[in-house]
Amino acid sequence: MQAPDFSVHLYRDVTEWAWGTPSWVHSVADVGTNAGLLLFAVLFVAGWWRARGLDARAMGLALSAPFAMVAAYLVSEVSKDFLQEERPCRAVSGAVHIASCPAPGDWSFPSNHATIAAASAAALVVVWRALAPLVLPLAVLMAFSRVFVGVHYPHDVAAGFCVGVVVAPVVALVLVRAAEPLVDFLRGFPVAAVLLGARPVAAPAGAGFGGAGLAQQPVPAGAAGVTRMDDAAVTMPDVMGGVRGVGGPGGAVGRHHRRGS
């Protein structure tokens, strides 16, 4: 596979700019382009730990996330072996690069690093949405670092990023269909519950303010502060001597009459 011209020119611009940065930036970039992936591993562990207190689906997603990342990596790796694009640090004449150029046969397109970073970020967002502001920019930075240190073209990292953000969430959502019932089953065993967390205790039906059970409670007749109209009609005294109660004979309210009429 031959790299497109626009990507070659952009690669030259980025690497020449990177080469002109201070030496400490080179050191940070060279180490960080690989070490940054360790942070995603730590976040996978954090996602699992958090899911121990949640339902079976949340734990199933947390367990599926690393496998989803591996699936995206395999798609990238198979694509690399099929397309066989040479690394820019060997193919581009006069290329400057901060990191060591990978050995021949370690192809360039797509970028495995970008795929792993993007897949990890996307899977973590599915597991724990609040991490999105952290993991998505980190994945972009990891992808860009591969161009910065001179071992990938820009189109390599763009393609790898797309593979990661598409494949990983789909695989995670497919795997959780099998993982969720398995987690729920294993949580019934004390040993597995240590790793997967206990089953959440369901709240009693109608519990809590505004619950259904509260709404269905009958109101006792004659309760304090409650006056029923039919009770008032029966117990109200006929103080006027000719006033009949509500619903009484004659069906009229407040009807006056004389004796013998």
Side-chain angles (χ1 to χ4, degrees), residues 167 173 192 196 212:
V167 173
L173 293 174
L196 303 178

Side-chain angles (χ1 to χ4, degrees), residues 12-26 96-98 148:
R12 285 184 179 276
D13 291 341
V14 172
T15 53
E16 288 174 3
W17 166 68
W19 191 254
T21 57
S23 58
W24 67 265
V25 175
H26 297 185
V96 292
H97 46 91
I98 295 170
F148 187 88

Side-chain angles (χ1 to χ4, degrees), residues 14 16 31 53 60 74-75 80 90 109 128 130 151 154 170 178 204 208 221 230:
V14 172
E16 288 174 3
V31 174
L74 291 176
V75 171
K80 288 166 74 79
R90 276 191 298 272
F109 181 88
W128 193 350
V151 295
V170 172
D230 54 346

Side-chain angles (χ1 to χ4, degrees), residues 8 19 25 29 40 86 93 117 121 124 135 149 155 157-158 162 212 223:
V8 174
W19 191 254
V25 175
F40 286 112
E86 188 61 270
S93 177
L124 284 166
V135 296
V149 298
H155 73 280
V157 299
C162 290

Side-chain angles (χ1 to χ4, degrees), residues 47-111:
W48 157 75
W49 184 262
R50 169 180 174 270
R52 291 175 72 253
L54 301 177
D55 60 18
R57 178 175 174 79
M59 176 55 76
L61 285 171
L63 296 177
S64 299
F67 294 98
M69 179 271 291
V70 171
Y73 162 76
L74 291 176
V75 171
S76 176
E77 183 64 24
V78 170
S79 300
K80 288 166 74 79
D81 291 338
F82 178 75
L83 296 170
Q84 297 187 354
E85 178 191 74
E86 188 61 270
R87 294 275 181 168
C89 44
R90 276 191 298 272
V92 176
S93 177
V96 292
H97 46 91
I98 295 170
S100 300
C101 196
D106 187 348
W107 308 111
S108 190
F109 181 88
S111 166

Side-chain angles (χ1 to χ4, degrees), residues 4 7 37 42 70 83 163 196 206-207 216 234 242 244:
S7 193
L37 298 179
V42 172
V70 171
L83 296 170
V163 170
L196 303 178
Q216 295 175 358
V234 173
R244 297 184 182 274

